[in-house]
Amino acid sequence: MEKILEVKDLKVSFQVYGGEVQAVRGINFDLYKGETLAVVGESGSGKSVLNQTIMKLIPMPPGKITGGQILFHGQDIVKKTDKEMEKIRGKEISMIFQDPMTSLNPTMKVGHQIMEVLLKHQNMKSQQAKERAIELLRLVGIPMPEKRVNQYPHEFSGGMRQRAMIAIALAANPSLLIADEPTTALDVTIQAQILELMKDLQKKMDTSIIFITHDLGVVANVADRVAVMYAGQIVEIGTVDEIFYDPRHPYTWGLLASMPSLDSDHKSELAAIPGTPPDLTNPPKGDAFAARNQYAMAIDFEEEPPMFQISETHFAKTWLLHPDAPKVEPPEAVKRKMRKLSSTFDKPVLVKEGK
């Protein structure tokens, strides 16, 4: 498969009044053509910083890339100037932001905002750009696009504004689309429609997608692979089946256990990960998750674990995978969630009943 993106040992920090926040701490992953990679984790885990860095949108200063490479089609984005990035943003890499109301220009008609991308990156004439803007609005499922193209963002509903944002992001046919929690501000019905729309458009356009979310329920429906982030690092990465049905990192177990369930036998149960993420102005020694990990060993507080390989596509950053570590099974709440998901999505269960 063709690699669209290679991120190698990426490190990003921010200089603040209290010191230097190490927001991204040595991240590695690849993205392939036509693939959707979901990046999940708690608020503050570094998801959005990672993806804004890929587009070089972090403010510098106070932010800075302190190490690593971001190879997009073989070219290192880290070394590119702002002028060079202007030719890439919107044309080759686009982003759908979390809140379309604050991302769309309230003083410009929606059609003009789509046309801006076409005029700049596709070298279209004004009338041609307007016709294409109407086509894009129709493509993303906005009714009466000939009328809507001349309306302002405040005349659109929340779901329609998000669809307009997707139209803008796709206007120049980018090879990489970054979706930063695009459904967070929407109700569940509209959320499902937007997710289905993105899956459909990806098939039609063969675009690679990085999908940022804290909602594992969303991940199950859209992703090919999943990267779990904690304290500025990827702690587990694998196919969606591996992460949901054979998770290996205790943090991933905690995220799965905390997913809301409609299972009538366990309505009162609401799992939570104890404690809070570490202060990244002074990252802890050893495993950053150790203080919140009920399975932590002495080595977790002394030495950072490497990324252990479980399969060709599955890796996890935990000492529990060391050959000398005690064998620890996922908690019963996680196994129950895995069995529930297996029945919902008709997948095999990789844990034995009763264990």
Side-chain angles (χ1 to χ4, degrees):
M1 292 176 67
E2 179 187 348
K3 283 185 184 178
I4 294 293
L5 186 72
E6 298 175 72
V7 176
K8 299 183 177 182
D9 198 27
L10 182 64
K11 298 173 183 175
V12 182
S13 64
F14 292 85
Q15 194 65 45
V16 297
Y17 181 76
E20 185 177 5
V21 178
Q22 298 177 41
V24 171
R25 305 187 298 134
I27 279 183
N28 296 275
F29 70 88
D30 299 329
L31 183 70
Y32 297 90
K33 185 175 182 180
E35 178 187 40
T36 297
L37 174 70
V39 181
V40 302
E42 292 169 284
S43 296
S45 60
K47 307 184 300 295
S48 292
V49 172
L50 166 64
N51 290 285
Q52 287 176 22
T53 304
I54 291 172
M55 292 188 74
K56 289 194 81 172
L57 286 175
I58 60 168
M60 295 190 277
K64 62 178 177 180
I65 300 171
T66 58
Q69 294 178 298
I70 304 169
L71 301 178
F72 178 64
H73 290 301
Q75 298 184 19
D76 192 357
I77 283 176
V78 172
K79 296 179 180 178
K80 290 193 177 294
T81 64
D82 285 342
K83 194 72 175 175
E84 290 172 326
M85 285 305 300
E86 285 179 10
K87 298 176 182 178
I88 294 175
R89 295 189 198 110
K91 182 178 182 181
E92 297 183 58
I93 306 176
S94 288
M95 181 175 279
I96 304 169
F97 293 96
Q98 185 174 135
D99 185 0
M101 199 57 192
T102 58
S103 302
L104 293 169
N105 187 332
T107 67
M108 287 179 63
K109 293 177 180 178
V110 170
H112 287 168
Q113 297 186 55
I114 301 172
M115 289 169 62
E116 273 191 330
V117 180
L118 298 167
L119 294 169
K120 181 175 182 178
H121 294 301
Q122 301 291 85
N123 297 317
M124 289 185 178
K125 300 294 184 183
S126 182
Q127 184 57 35
Q128 185 184 9
K130 184 172 182 179
E131 290 171 2
R132 179 57 180 159
I134 293 171
E135 287 177 17
L136 284 164
L137 289 177
R138 184 178 291 111
L139 181 68
V140 297
I142 292 181
M144 299 183 292
E146 295 84 358
K147 175 185 176 182
R148 295 292 187 179
V149 77
N150 293 313
Q151 292 183 331
Y152 292 90
H154 73 270
E155 297 177 87
F156 280 39
S157 67
M160 287 171 62
R161 285 194 290 267
Q162 195 60 281
R163 288 172 185 266
M165 277 291 299
I166 294 172
I168 293 170
L170 294 175
N173 299 317
S175 56
L176 172 57
L177 179 64
I178 299 174
D180 189 355
E181 304 211 30
T183 60
T184 298
L186 305 175
D187 65 59
V188 291
T189 304
I190 303 302
Q191 181 184 84
Q193 293 174 10
I194 295 297
L195 293 175
E196 194 60 37
L197 170 65
M198 291 185 66
K199 285 167 65 177
D200 184 51
L201 292 174
Q202 184 185 31
K203 289 177 184 176
K204 290 178 180 177
M205 306 181 77
D206 202 24
T207 301
S208 301
I209 298 176
I210 297 177
F211 196 101
I212 310 164
T213 183
H214 61 268
D215 186 345
L216 278 171
V218 168
V219 168
N221 289 309
V222 300
D224 298 305
R225 286 192 301 139
V226 181
V228 180
M229 281 193 71
Y230 183 77
Q233 298 178 322
I234 290 177
V235 297
E236 186 164 8
I237 187 167
T239 66
V240 68
D241 284 357
E242 287 167 336
I243 297 300
F244 274 88
Y245 309 116
D246 190 24
R248 298 299 184 93
H249 198 286
Y251 180 61
T252 311
W253 295 348
L255 292 179
L256 284 168
S258 62
M259 285 176 61
S261 175
L262 297 179
D263 189 339
S264 59
D265 295 332
H266 303 281
K267 281 184 179 178
S268 61
E269 182 178 327
L270 184 61
I273 302 173
T276 57
D279 178 5
L280 293 183
T281 57
N282 184 27
K285 185 179 179 182
D287 186 346
F289 189 61
R292 306 175 71 187
N293 182 7
Q294 63 176 308
Y295 308 102
M297 301 172 286
I299 192 172
D300 284 300
F301 297 93
E302 297 295 329
E303 192 174 337
E304 184 178 317
M307 191 68 95
F308 289 94
Q309 183 170 359
I310 302 152
S311 73
E312 188 178 338
T313 54
H314 192 185
F315 300 82
K317 192 179 179 68
T318 172
W319 284 116
L320 290 175
L321 293 174
H322 191 279
D324 297 332
K327 301 304 176 187
V328 176
E329 292 285 342
E332 185 55 38
V334 178
K335 292 183 181 181
R336 190 161 51 242
K337 196 76 64 167
M338 291 159 64
R339 289 191 287 268
K340 183 69 176 175
L341 288 167
S342 295
S343 63
T344 302
F345 294 104
D346 194 25
K347 299 285 186 181
V349 183
L350 299 182
V351 292
K352 293 180 180 179
E353 295 286 343
K355 272 201 170 185

